[in-house]
Amino acid sequence: MQVLDGLVDFGVFELITMTNTWSYDQAGIDRGTAWRAPAYDDSAWPLGAALFGVDDSVPFPYPLPVATPLTRPDQGGPITTYYRTRFPFTNATSGVMLYSESYVDDGAVYYLNGAQVGRVRMVASATYTRAPGRTPAGGVTKADEGM
């Protein structure tokens, strides 16, 4: 959608849909910071369609069923799972604002081209091996908020 009001020219583009395919890693290996870089080779990671998770909620709180089941930490799965996807964006980045609408159970930290751009229910001290601390609930993240 593009809006022209004589003063501002802006468009809204859906870059990632609810059911995009993602590379994901639930191997239980600390990937450090290298995995955040755009050139990181994730070709060995499995591919899965969103939504990711475990179907253990009654009533089911998400708009779609889980398409890619993950192993829960209490059943041998890791605390941290990594997700990566790509999207084309060829416009100038000046003045661009990204919004992310996420369905997050525990917590998430978002990176774009290697830079952190958002957090949902994750304290700064959360690590790969330690469960996230709780911050206020929320599922919609403004990517540039506080960044």
Side-chain angles (χ1 to χ4, degrees):
M1 171 177 82
Q2 186 164 0
V3 178
L4 301 169
D5 68 1
L7 299 173
V8 178
D9 176 4
F10 72 92
V12 177
F13 306 96
E14 187 173 72
L15 298 174
I16 303 171
T17 65
M18 175 72 74
T19 57
N20 264 53
T21 298
W22 294 70
S23 299
Y24 69 100
D25 177 27
Q26 199 182 29
I29 299 168
D30 184 351
R31 298 289 177 191
T33 59
W35 73 276
R36 302 174 192 169
Y40 182 81
D41 181 8
D42 61 12
S43 61
W45 293 12
L47 297 175
L51 297 173
F52 292 85
V54 294
D55 189 5
D56 65 349
S57 301
V58 178
F60 195 71
Y62 304 114
L64 298 170
V66 170
T68 303
L70 301 173
T71 305
R72 297 168 45 113
D74 64 352
Q75 296 174 346
I79 291 173
T80 300
T81 302
Y82 300 91
Y83 302 93
R84 291 175 50 93
T85 196
R86 292 164 180 79
F87 58 86
F89 187 79
T90 57
N91 298 356
T93 58
S94 177
V96 169
M97 187 176 298
L98 296 175
Y99 288 90
S100 170
E101 184 173 5
S102 306
Y103 295 92
V104 176
D105 187 355
D106 292 322
V109 181
Y110 300 92
Y111 297 90
L112 178 64
N113 294 333
Q116 186 183 130
V117 295
R119 289 179 169 268
V120 174
R121 294 192 300 269
M122 293 289 286
V123 296
S125 62
T127 67
Y128 163 79
T129 57
R130 197 166 47 96
R134 293 289 186 185
T135 59
V140 178
T141 300
K142 186 168 123 179
D144 66 342
E145 188 170 88
M147 299 296 149

